[in-house]
Amino acid sequence: KTILSTSDAGTTGCLFLCAESGSCYDRTIGKYIKPPTQGSWNISHDIECNDTEITLNGNLNVVLGGFWINNVSLRMNNTYDGQYGITVYPYSQMHINENNGNPSIITNGDNASVYYSFKVMQNSIFSMRNSELEHMGWAWNLPDYSWGGLWINANNTVIENNVIHDNPFVGLWLYESSNHTIINNTIRNNGWAEETFQGIRGKNSGYNLIQSNEIHNNADDGIYLFGGSNNTIFLNEIYSN
């Protein structure tokens, strides 16, 4: 094993061990791994993926530990609506970010007309920065509508400098959770499945900071919050909703 310094994709050096293209590093066991090509990826360690493309033919379940992606194209390769989805379970964490100015992009797969779910559950930790999220959400399901957008039931999330666009239902869905920081995002062209869905929707969600976002061309309201209090909403550019 050769231990080198921080990497530029393994060409002149790498963190811990030089990795094959398309691999991720499992911090818990100190080993490079590859995501599964078939079946669900159930993450129970601390795993970081950088500068790669991942196509999942199964669910992404962050069950324990954490999942960090930096400049990763993550494709949820469904063959029908809701076949696979992303779930961040309680007491786990997921962080989405850019690397060297290149964003992470989360999208659907080969069939561009089918969609996946994305759920961030209570008591988890979540952040998304400098990235892009599209073609997500596939049904307005009772009782909690958790298939209807980036559904966040955890507190204290950070959503910053992203583009969230072209999702059939809600772009960002704050469900009975609070203390979110939502800054400098572009949230556009969401809600086209029906005329009653918004760019940002919140139910019983309070103490949020929603600042300096550009929110436009969503089917209904740009921002729609009900049942919460003490939200700070200012310096947003909201139009053509």
mmCIF file of all heavy atoms in Angstrom, residues 182-206:
data_model
loop_
_atom_site.group_PDB
_atom_site.id
_atom_site.type_symbol
_atom_site.label_atom_id
_atom_site.label_comp_id
_atom_site.label_asym_id
_atom_site.label_seq_id
_atom_site.Cartn_x
_atom_site.Cartn_y
_atom_site.Cartn_z
ATOM 1 N N ILE A 182 -32.027 27.794 3.584
ATOM 2 C CA ILE A 182 -32.259 27.644 2.146
ATOM 3 C C ILE A 182 -31.830 28.953 1.488
ATOM 4 O O ILE A 182 -32.556 29.942 1.525
ATOM 5 C CB ILE A 182 -33.739 27.316 1.870
ATOM 6 C CG1 ILE A 182 -34.155 26.052 2.645
ATOM 7 C CG2 ILE A 182 -33.997 27.148 0.386
ATOM 8 C CD1 ILE A 182 -35.649 25.842 2.718
ATOM 9 N N ILE A 183 -30.644 28.968 0.909
ATOM 10 C CA ILE A 183 -30.018 30.205 0.458
ATOM 11 C C ILE A 183 -29.442 30.039 -0.949
ATOM 12 O O ILE A 183 -28.800 29.031 -1.259
ATOM 13 C CB ILE A 183 -28.884 30.631 1.420
ATOM 14 C CG1 ILE A 183 -29.439 30.926 2.819
ATOM 15 C CG2 ILE A 183 -28.147 31.848 0.908
ATOM 16 C CD1 ILE A 183 -28.374 31.287 3.830
ATOM 17 N N ASN A 184 -29.684 31.046 -1.789
ATOM 18 C CA ASN A 184 -29.004 31.187 -3.089
ATOM 19 C C ASN A 184 -29.259 30.009 -4.039
ATOM 20 O O ASN A 184 -28.371 29.609 -4.794
ATOM 21 C CB ASN A 184 -27.489 31.370 -2.897
ATOM 22 C CG ASN A 184 -27.142 32.696 -2.271
ATOM 23 O OD1 ASN A 184 -27.840 33.685 -2.467
ATOM 24 N ND2 ASN A 184 -26.067 32.712 -1.505
ATOM 25 N N ASN A 185 -30.466 29.474 -3.998
ATOM 26 C CA ASN A 185 -30.822 28.402 -4.922
ATOM 27 C C ASN A 185 -31.640 28.942 -6.087
ATOM 28 O O ASN A 185 -32.310 29.969 -5.974
ATOM 29 C CB ASN A 185 -31.648 27.329 -4.192
ATOM 30 C CG ASN A 185 -30.907 26.743 -3.016
ATOM 31 O OD1 ASN A 185 -30.020 25.917 -3.186
ATOM 32 N ND2 ASN A 185 -31.263 27.180 -1.809
ATOM 33 N N THR A 186 -31.598 28.231 -7.201
ATOM 34 C CA THR A 186 -32.539 28.438 -8.290
ATOM 35 C C THR A 186 -33.507 27.260 -8.277
ATOM 36 O O THR A 186 -33.088 26.100 -8.399
ATOM 37 C CB THR A 186 -31.831 28.523 -9.643
ATOM 38 O OG1 THR A 186 -30.957 29.650 -9.650
ATOM 39 C CG2 THR A 186 -32.836 28.665 -10.775
ATOM 40 N N ILE A 187 -34.790 27.559 -8.105
ATOM 41 C CA ILE A 187 -35.821 26.521 -8.004
ATOM 42 C C ILE A 187 -36.850 26.836 -9.078
ATOM 43 O O ILE A 187 -37.608 27.809 -8.969
ATOM 44 C CB ILE A 187 -36.431 26.499 -6.596
ATOM 45 C CG1 ILE A 187 -35.331 26.239 -5.553
ATOM 46 C CG2 ILE A 187 -37.524 25.443 -6.500
ATOM 47 C CD1 ILE A 187 -35.808 26.344 -4.115
ATOM 48 N N ARG A 188 -36.871 26.029 -10.127
ATOM 49 C CA ARG A 188 -37.656 26.409 -11.303
ATOM 50 C C ARG A 188 -38.282 25.195 -11.978
ATOM 51 O O ARG A 188 -37.803 24.070 -11.862
ATOM 52 C CB ARG A 188 -36.769 27.136 -12.316
ATOM 53 C CG ARG A 188 -35.579 26.331 -12.808
ATOM 54 C CD ARG A 188 -34.840 27.037 -13.932
ATOM 55 N NE ARG A 188 -33.616 26.361 -14.305
ATOM 56 C CZ ARG A 188 -33.543 25.304 -15.115
ATOM 57 N NH1 ARG A 188 -34.652 24.791 -15.626
ATOM 58 N NH2 ARG A 188 -32.376 24.761 -15.416
ATOM 59 N N ASN A 189 -39.372 25.466 -12.693
ATOM 60 C CA ASN A 189 -40.012 24.470 -13.570
ATOM 61 C C ASN A 189 -40.402 23.195 -12.828
ATOM 62 O O ASN A 189 -40.288 22.090 -13.355
ATOM 63 C CB ASN A 189 -39.092 24.125 -14.750
ATOM 64 C CG ASN A 189 -38.778 25.329 -15.605
ATOM 65 O OD1 ASN A 189 -37.685 25.904 -15.513
ATOM 66 N ND2 ASN A 189 -39.728 25.745 -16.421
ATOM 67 N N ASN A 190 -40.875 23.366 -11.598
ATOM 68 C CA ASN A 190 -41.378 22.230 -10.833
ATOM 69 C C ASN A 190 -42.906 22.243 -10.832
ATOM 70 O O ASN A 190 -43.528 23.275 -11.028
ATOM 71 C CB ASN A 190 -40.854 22.297 -9.391
ATOM 72 C CG ASN A 190 -39.344 22.258 -9.345
ATOM 73 O OD1 ASN A 190 -38.726 21.238 -9.637
ATOM 74 N ND2 ASN A 190 -38.725 23.381 -8.985
ATOM 75 N N GLY A 191 -43.496 21.077 -10.588
ATOM 76 C CA GLY A 191 -44.933 20.994 -10.418
ATOM 77 C C GLY A 191 -45.736 20.831 -11.676
ATOM 78 O O GLY A 191 -46.946 21.042 -11.671
ATOM 79 N N TRP A 192 -45.089 20.419 -12.751
ATOM 80 C CA TRP A 192 -45.834 20.358 -14.006
ATOM 81 C C TRP A 192 -46.793 19.169 -14.093
ATOM 82 O O TRP A 192 -47.613 19.096 -15.007
ATOM 83 C CB TRP A 192 -44.874 20.348 -15.191
ATOM 84 C CG TRP A 192 -43.744 19.373 -15.097
ATOM 85 C CD1 TRP A 192 -42.467 19.634 -14.694
ATOM 86 C CD2 TRP A 192 -43.778 17.982 -15.398
ATOM 87 N NE1 TRP A 192 -41.696 18.495 -14.722
ATOM 88 C CE2 TRP A 192 -42.478 17.462 -15.164
ATOM 89 C CE3 TRP A 192 -44.773 17.109 -15.845
ATOM 90 C CZ2 TRP A 192 -42.153 16.119 -15.340
ATOM 91 C CZ3 TRP A 192 -44.453 15.772 -16.030
ATOM 92 C CH2 TRP A 192 -43.157 15.298 -15.782
ATOM 93 N N ALA A 193 -46.762 18.237 -13.124
ATOM 94 C CA ALA A 193 -47.721 17.114 -13.142
ATOM 95 C C ALA A 193 -49.145 17.609 -12.926
ATOM 96 O O ALA A 193 -50.098 17.057 -13.465
ATOM 97 C CB ALA A 193 -47.352 16.089 -12.072
ATOM 98 N N GLU A 194 -49.300 18.661 -12.099
ATOM 99 C CA GLU A 194 -50.589 19.308 -11.891
ATOM 100 C C GLU A 194 -50.329 20.792 -11.678
ATOM 101 O O GLU A 194 -49.185 21.213 -11.509
ATOM 102 C CB GLU A 194 -51.315 18.719 -10.677
ATOM 103 C CG GLU A 194 -51.771 17.285 -10.855
ATOM 104 C CD GLU A 194 -52.581 16.795 -9.671
ATOM 105 O OE1 GLU A 194 -53.175 17.636 -8.960
ATOM 106 O OE2 GLU A 194 -52.627 15.581 -9.461
ATOM 107 N N GLU A 195 -51.383 21.561 -11.602
ATOM 108 C CA GLU A 195 -51.233 23.008 -11.458
ATOM 109 C C GLU A 195 -51.234 23.467 -10.009
ATOM 110 O O GLU A 195 -51.332 24.660 -9.735
ATOM 111 C CB GLU A 195 -52.342 23.722 -12.234
ATOM 112 C CG GLU A 195 -52.268 23.497 -13.740
ATOM 113 C CD GLU A 195 -53.353 24.238 -14.487
ATOM 114 O OE1 GLU A 195 -54.212 24.848 -13.809
ATOM 115 O OE2 GLU A 195 -53.337 24.213 -15.727
ATOM 116 N N THR A 196 -51.114 22.554 -9.050
ATOM 117 C CA THR A 196 -51.256 22.915 -7.635
ATOM 118 C C THR A 196 -49.974 22.715 -6.839
ATOM 119 O O THR A 196 -50.011 22.688 -5.611
ATOM 120 C CB THR A 196 -52.379 22.088 -6.996
ATOM 121 O OG1 THR A 196 -52.087 20.693 -7.168
ATOM 122 C CG2 THR A 196 -53.714 22.416 -7.633
ATOM 123 N N PHE A 197 -48.826 22.590 -7.484
ATOM 124 C CA PHE A 197 -47.583 22.299 -6.779
ATOM 125 C C PHE A 197 -46.595 23.451 -6.894
ATOM 126 O O PHE A 197 -46.625 24.224 -7.847
ATOM 127 C CB PHE A 197 -46.978 20.994 -7.296
ATOM 128 C CG PHE A 197 -47.868 19.810 -7.024
ATOM 129 C CD1 PHE A 197 -48.488 19.133 -8.063
ATOM 130 C CD2 PHE A 197 -48.105 19.411 -5.724
ATOM 131 C CE1 PHE A 197 -49.324 18.059 -7.806
ATOM 132 C CE2 PHE A 197 -48.946 18.336 -5.458
ATOM 133 C CZ PHE A 197 -49.556 17.660 -6.495
ATOM 134 N N GLN A 198 -45.718 23.530 -5.917
ATOM 135 C CA GLN A 198 -44.918 24.729 -5.709
ATOM 136 C C GLN A 198 -43.409 24.449 -5.861
ATOM 137 O O GLN A 198 -42.969 23.307 -5.884
ATOM 138 C CB GLN A 198 -45.172 25.259 -4.287
ATOM 139 C CG GLN A 198 -46.609 25.588 -3.974
ATOM 140 C CD GLN A 198 -47.423 24.389 -3.536
ATOM 141 O OE1 GLN A 198 -46.883 23.357 -3.171
ATOM 142 N NE2 GLN A 198 -48.745 24.532 -3.582
ATOM 143 N N GLY A 199 -42.666 25.552 -5.874
ATOM 144 C CA GLY A 199 -41.219 25.435 -5.822
ATOM 145 C C GLY A 199 -40.751 24.960 -4.463
ATOM 146 O O GLY A 199 -40.009 23.990 -4.340
ATOM 147 N N ILE A 200 -41.204 25.664 -3.404
ATOM 148 C CA ILE A 200 -40.950 25.261 -2.019
ATOM 149 C C ILE A 200 -42.293 25.122 -1.323
ATOM 150 O O ILE A 200 -43.127 26.036 -1.359
ATOM 151 C CB ILE A 200 -40.098 26.289 -1.272
ATOM 152 C CG1 ILE A 200 -38.725 26.457 -1.937
ATOM 153 C CG2 ILE A 200 -39.922 25.881 0.192
ATOM 154 C CD1 ILE A 200 -37.882 27.564 -1.319
ATOM 155 N N ARG A 201 -42.507 24.011 -0.651
ATOM 156 C CA ARG A 201 -43.734 23.772 0.111
ATOM 157 C C ARG A 201 -43.340 23.356 1.530
ATOM 158 O O ARG A 201 -42.392 22.574 1.703
ATOM 159 C CB ARG A 201 -44.568 22.674 -0.557
ATOM 160 C CG ARG A 201 -45.899 22.359 0.124
ATOM 161 C CD ARG A 201 -46.567 21.191 -0.573
ATOM 162 N NE ARG A 201 -47.852 20.837 0.028
ATOM 163 C CZ ARG A 201 -49.039 21.207 -0.438
ATOM 164 N NH1 ARG A 201 -49.107 21.951 -1.531
ATOM 165 N NH2 ARG A 201 -50.155 20.826 0.155
ATOM 166 N N GLY A 202 -44.055 23.857 2.519
ATOM 167 C CA GLY A 202 -43.785 23.483 3.896
ATOM 168 C C GLY A 202 -45.057 23.227 4.670
ATOM 169 O O GLY A 202 -46.023 23.990 4.573
ATOM 170 N N LYS A 203 -45.065 22.148 5.448
ATOM 171 C CA LYS A 203 -46.176 21.851 6.356
ATOM 172 C C LYS A 203 -45.629 21.782 7.782
ATOM 173 O O LYS A 203 -44.711 20.995 8.060
ATOM 174 C CB LYS A 203 -46.843 20.527 5.994
ATOM 175 C CG LYS A 203 -47.971 20.158 6.956
ATOM 176 C CD LYS A 203 -48.551 18.784 6.678
ATOM 177 C CE LYS A 203 -49.634 18.454 7.713
ATOM 178 N NZ LYS A 203 -50.160 17.072 7.545
ATOM 179 N N ASN A 204 -46.207 22.591 8.669
ATOM 180 C CA ASN A 204 -45.767 22.628 10.070
ATOM 181 C C ASN A 204 -44.253 22.766 10.160
ATOM 182 O O ASN A 204 -43.581 22.068 10.920
ATOM 183 C CB ASN A 204 -46.229 21.380 10.820
ATOM 184 C CG ASN A 204 -47.740 21.255 10.856
ATOM 185 O OD1 ASN A 204 -48.460 22.256 10.786
ATOM 186 N ND2 ASN A 204 -48.240 20.036 10.940
ATOM 187 N N SER A 205 -43.723 23.673 9.381
ATOM 188 C CA SER A 205 -42.276 23.884 9.288
ATOM 189 C C SER A 205 -41.974 25.329 9.669
ATOM 190 O O SER A 205 -42.435 26.258 9.002
ATOM 191 C CB SER A 205 -41.787 23.585 7.871
ATOM 192 O OG SER A 205 -40.395 23.764 7.775
ATOM 193 N N GLY A 206 -41.201 25.519 10.743
ATOM 194 C CA GLY A 206 -40.927 26.859 11.224
ATOM 195 C C GLY A 206 -39.453 27.126 11.450
ATOM 196 O O GLY A 206 -38.606 26.236 11.329
#
